[in-house]
Amino acid sequence: MSTGSADAKRVTTHTLQEMKSGGVPIAMLTAYDYSLARLVDAAGIDVILVGDSASNVMAGHETTLPITLDQMIYHAGAVVRGCQRALIVVDLPFGTYQGNTKGALNSAIRIMKESGAHAVKLEGGREVIGSVERILTAGIPVMGHLGLTPQSIYKFGTYVVRAKEEMEAQRLREDAKLLEEAGCFALVLEKIPARLAEEVAKSVSIPVIGIGAGGGVDGQVLVLHDMLGINKEFNPRFLRRYADLHTVISDAVGGYVRDVRSKDFPSAKEQY
Ligand code: KIV
């Protein structure tokens, strides 16, 4: 079977396992469209998550709950077309995997078949183990997600740090083990105390990627629009901004409007 030259350098779940073993931190970002995914991939990211945060940053919804499977597949297909190297993981959206293992398998198969992505991610521990196991029977790699799980926002009622109390921390430790034993290839830990995240990362053999979970884990993930500074309103402590695209884009658009109004644009050189 020919794998093609681009495939030769492709990051795989195996690569991530080797990175964990070798102590090389894994860099992961979200992306939802062709143009930005292409840039992110070319800049050397290891994993691109087509997150259901698309519901917030792309569609303007307040939560991640409304995004549909068809919409996730649309975003994932665009990202896949823009990437040559990164491992592409796609979130199973709310309502497509909980409480119905056959439905979970069908959702995951649709993502893989229709988008060309490489793995799926889902939120939760013991309550979704049946779905994780069933998806894995089809040979689809699964990434777990514990801690703050935004699809359960109406259960939590708030986006504050999770697992600060011992009972919840213990449940999280057990769920991480269950996900590892079920066969997940990696785990995202969102917004939990750094000490707990480090302990979990040391206790499981699979890579643990943190967001708001400190530096003691095996890698980091951020939402692309947040780290590029497109959203000014979202200011959690864990977010480091690497650019101020809000200002760059606002200034560029403002300049264009001014030039159109003053008829400075187009100039003689910019017409036929
Ligand atoms: O949807 C998303 O962007 C995520 C990350 C926050 C991990 O799940």
Side-chain angles (χ1 to χ4, degrees):
M1 191 179 80
S2 164
T3 51
S5 58
D7 285 352
K9 284 192 242 140
R10 179 70 77 175
V11 175
T12 65
T13 58
H14 184 67
T15 316
L16 301 186
Q17 191 61 57
E18 283 180 345
M19 289 173 82
K20 170 156 180 145
S21 307
V24 181
I26 297 161
M28 170 163 147
L29 281 172
T30 66
Y32 319 97
D33 70 284
Y34 169 81
S35 300
L36 285 181
R38 200 159 165 234
L39 279 170
V40 168
D41 185 62
I45 206 73
D46 301 309
V47 184
I48 291 184
L49 172 65
V50 185
D52 59 359
S53 48
S55 181
N56 309 112
V57 296
M58 299 301 287
H61 292 297
E62 208 174 301
T63 72
T64 57
L65 275 66
I67 200 159
T68 66
L69 187 58
D70 283 338
Q71 288 165 341
M72 289 303 296
I73 290 169
Y74 166 80
H75 287 296
V79 168
V80 167
R81 288 188 288 279
C83 294
Q84 297 200 321
R85 178 181 176 274
L87 178 82
I88 299 165
V89 183
V90 183
D91 264 334
L92 279 166
F94 175 69
T96 65
Y97 63 92
Q98 298 97 335
N100 175 355
T101 63
K102 178 92 187 328
L105 176 60
N106 289 341
S107 307
I109 287 176
R110 278 202 59 203
I111 287 178
M112 303 296 282
K113 233 181 179 18
E114 296 177 37
S115 76
H118 312 125
V120 298
K121 174 165 87 57
L122 49 74
E123 296 182 3
R126 62 201 69 189
E127 66 281 6
V128 294
I129 282 294
S131 293
V132 170
E133 286 170 344
R134 188 110 184 226
I135 294 168
L136 285 164
T137 62
I140 299 172
V142 180
M143 178 181 268
H145 183 156
L146 296 172
L148 177 63
T149 47
Q151 291 179 14
S152 306
I153 184 57
Y154 292 116
K155 180 173 127 194
F156 298 145
T158 148
Y159 289 102
V160 296
V161 179
R162 305 301 314 174
K164 280 167 96 173
E165 307 301 330
E166 181 48 31
M167 224 163 80
E168 194 181 340
Q170 184 52 27
R171 188 179 166 92
L172 188 144
R173 287 184 195 100
E174 291 167 10
D175 281 346
K177 270 277 160 212
L178 284 173
L179 289 167
E180 178 194 24
E181 282 160 14
C184 282
F185 73 92
L187 185 57
V188 165
L189 292 181
E190 180 164 355
K191 222 169 171 187
I192 64 168
R195 213 157 20 156
L196 175 62
E198 181 169 2
E199 183 197 325
V200 171
K202 284 191 173 137
S203 75
V204 295
S205 59
I206 56 175
V208 173
I209 319 276
I211 173 164
V217 289
D218 306 306
Q220 300 293 327
V221 56
L222 286 175
V223 169
L224 184 65
H225 290 58
D226 297 340
M227 64 83 79
L228 290 178
I230 293 178
N231 308 323
K232 281 237 157 161
E233 307 79 28
F234 186 59
N235 286 305
R237 174 158 151 186
F238 67 77
L239 175 62
R240 184 180 294 182
R241 286 212 172 82
Y242 286 84
D244 179 8
L245 288 199
H246 183 277
T247 304
V248 171
I249 293 171
S250 301
D251 288 353
V253 174
Y256 171 72
V257 170
R258 269 194 310 278
D259 290 353
V260 170
R261 296 257 196 279
S262 67
K263 296 197 172 248
D264 179 73
F265 176 80
S267 67
K269 282 193 195 150
E270 290 161 327
Q271 61 192 22
Y272 300 99

